[in-house]
Amino acid sequence: MADPLVISEEDKDTGSNKSGITVRAVGIGLLIVLVIGVWATYVELYARSSRLTMGHFPLALFALMLVVLGANSLAPKIKIVPLSPEELLVIVSMGLVGAVMPVDGIAGYLLGIISSFYYFATPENQWADYFHPYLPEWLVPRGDPAIWKQFFEGTGLERGIPWEMWAVPLFWWAVFIGALLWVSACMMVMVRKQWVDHERLVFPLAAVALEMVGGTRGETGFGSLARSRLFWGGFGIAMLLFGIEILGWFNPMLPIGSYYPKFSNFYFMKDARALVINPFHFFTMGFAYMAHVDVQFSVWFFYLLNVFEGGIFARLGFDVRGAGSDKFCTFPVAVAWQGFGAMLFIVLWGFWTAREHLGNGLRKALGRAPNVDDSGELISYRVAFFGAVGGLIFMSVWLWWSGMSP
């Protein structure tokens, strides 16, 4: 399979790198984001079923993109101009961003956190005396205790949603989140050429999207990957096993059994972390197919190192206090801090290797390097640099205004 992230000279000459930001592409992308938000929220929070926005490639987006691609293949037959690969990339990019918002994303945690200060306040914890006076009115919604019971327990829904209580806090949180996304986009523009053109990094998640929409090959339907018998063979096997599991879950009385391979835990040392063995994990297979071999080696090697170190620390009684009950922390805590140090080193090393490119971008932003080409970027280096600086200043003022110490 050709590298889907590499644009050939032939593709450049045929104009395949044109912009796909059109009215219909943005409209379809917004519709997909809306459907994912409603669908994932209902399925996970109300039906207590599948987590549609989790995984390397969100299942909800994958299902909707199959519908879009199928309809796009039929468009020429009803004399409708099909979506171009560039427009499809805009749609799937919007879907990827929108899929991280609901349930397990920003929206899923934000509403619950800013609503908990009054619902969980009791005479015993004395939040009303020592906590509530320091909460800005524009940051946290305030209302009658019955409103919080309605939000958390679902009682009194007939009264409707008190939008006037939520309007101001949600506005200011949306402004802060928007500034955060803007700064992230500006930083992405500053480092994109270094990662894509100079270091030639491969992005497995982007590779899946590119293969689905046809990449840079000028295709408008399902793409060569989806036309492959091997692709549909693997898809069919996975869906068959998952389908049997789903039927057995919702209908326990059906005598169909379970044919999906189960994982097992292997302990090579007493008190060590379990080594999870799953010889038939589809998500891992999909990631391994798209990722480089050296990245895959790093994944399993450092995982084994994590297990081995955890066992040694357990035998010696070595531990780091302060985060032992944090379920989001890697176990053991000492290894979690080690991983944070490794990530910090990778970030600093990335800045060091990109120093020449970042220096050129900075000089271009300051008007000292007019020969540096930024025409292929989403926005100019000047806008990206001063946009990131302005966004960081705004977020700092916002946090200070909310009560955070400098």
Side-chain angles (χ1 to χ4, degrees):
M1 182 185 68
D3 191 345
L5 297 181
V6 177
I7 300 177
S8 64
E9 295 298 328
E10 180 181 356
D11 293 326
K12 294 180 180 179
D13 296 337
T14 57
S16 62
N17 57 344
K18 62 184 179 181
S19 174
I21 304 178
T22 61
V23 175
R24 62 175 184 173
V26 174
I28 296 175
L30 290 176
L31 179 61
I32 287 180
V33 170
L34 177 62
V35 172
I36 290 177
V38 176
W39 185 16
T41 302
Y42 175 83
V43 169
E44 183 164 343
L45 299 184
Y46 183 79
R48 299 291 182 179
S49 185
S50 302
R51 310 183 74 174
L52 298 178
T53 57
M54 299 291 286
H56 304 302
F57 196 92
L59 179 60
L61 176 60
F62 180 78
L64 294 175
M65 282 304 301
L66 287 181
V67 175
V68 172
L69 293 172
N72 201 48
S73 299
L74 299 175
K77 298 181 180 180
I78 55 177
K79 298 182 180 181
I80 296 179
V81 179
L83 295 166
S84 66
E86 292 77 18
E87 289 177 307
L88 291 172
L89 282 176
V90 170
I91 295 173
V92 74
S93 298
M94 295 178 65
L96 286 172
V97 176
V100 302
M101 295 294 180
V103 189
D104 294 290
I106 296 175
Y109 287 98
L110 175 63
L111 296 179
I113 291 175
I114 65 177
S115 304
S116 62
F117 303 116
Y118 292 93
Y119 177 75
F120 292 102
T122 62
E124 291 77 15
N125 58 34
Q126 298 182 340
W127 281 10
D129 299 327
Y130 298 103
F131 196 16
H132 293 173
Y134 299 98
L135 298 175
E137 295 184 2
W138 58 272
L139 188 66
V140 176
R142 300 171 183 267
D144 186 84
I147 296 178
W148 306 122
K149 292 180 67 67
Q150 173 188 359
F151 181 83
F152 283 96
E153 302 175 14
T155 59
L157 295 177
E158 65 279 357
R159 292 193 297 266
I161 301 176
W163 291 108
E164 66 280 359
M165 180 186 73
W166 289 95
V168 174
L170 289 182
F171 169 78
W172 284 110
W173 277 106
V175 170
F176 180 81
I177 295 172
L180 177 62
L181 295 176
W182 166 252
V183 172
S184 301
C186 292
M187 296 176 64
M188 177 271 297
V189 169
M190 296 297 295
V191 300
R192 187 208 64 83
K193 183 176 290 186
Q194 170 67 23
W195 288 351
V196 177
D197 296 343
H198 299 165
E199 298 184 26
R200 310 291 291 178
L201 299 181
V202 174
F203 305 92
L205 189 61
V208 174
L210 285 169
E211 286 295 328
M212 285 186 65
V213 304
T216 59
R217 294 179 292 275
E219 300 179 3
T220 58
F222 278 91
S224 61
L225 181 64
R227 294 194 186 99
S228 170
R229 294 182 179 179
L230 183 62
F231 169 83
W232 287 111
F235 180 82
I237 294 174
M239 284 302 299
L240 177 62
L241 295 178
F242 278 123
I244 294 175
E245 288 285 321
I246 293 173
L247 289 176
W249 175 267
F250 287 103
N251 301 276
M253 300 302 295
L254 291 178
I256 55 178
S258 176
Y259 302 95
Y260 188 76
K262 304 298 182 180
F263 67 86
S264 58
N265 295 331
F266 174 75
Y267 297 88
F268 75 98
M269 181 185 299
K270 184 180 179 181
D271 299 324
R273 183 177 183 175
L275 180 63
V276 182
I277 300 177
N278 190 341
F280 207 59
H281 195 273
F282 295 113
F283 300 111
T284 304
M285 292 179 182
F287 175 81
Y289 177 76
M290 295 294 182
H292 276 177
V293 177
D294 51 355
V295 174
Q296 298 177 45
F297 169 80
S298 299
V299 170
W300 70 259
F301 174 79
F302 285 105
Y303 177 77
L304 291 180
L305 182 62
N306 176 289
V307 174
F308 180 76
E309 282 188 320
I312 296 297
F313 290 160
R315 298 297 293 171
L316 297 179
F318 177 77
D319 195 9
V320 176
R321 298 180 179 179
S325 60
D326 186 0
K327 66 177 181 179
F328 295 104
C329 180
T330 301
F331 177 82
V333 180
V335 177
W337 281 106
Q338 186 183 51
F340 178 79
M343 183 189 69
L344 182 61
F345 172 80
I346 292 175
V347 171
L348 295 178
W349 181 254
F351 280 119
W352 174 255
T353 56
R355 63 189 184 280
E356 182 178 356
H357 167 74
L358 294 177
N360 292 334
L362 178 60
R363 287 190 292 269
K364 177 70 173 181
L366 299 177
R368 299 178 181 178
N371 58 321
V372 175
D373 183 22
D374 60 355
S375 59
E377 305 297 340
L378 182 64
I379 55 179
S380 66
Y381 286 153
R382 184 178 184 85
V383 174
F385 174 74
F386 288 103
V389 172
L392 289 173
I393 293 175
F394 173 80
M395 289 192 295
S396 300
V397 173
W398 191 97
L399 293 172
W400 172 77
W401 192 21
S402 67
M404 182 175 290
S405 301

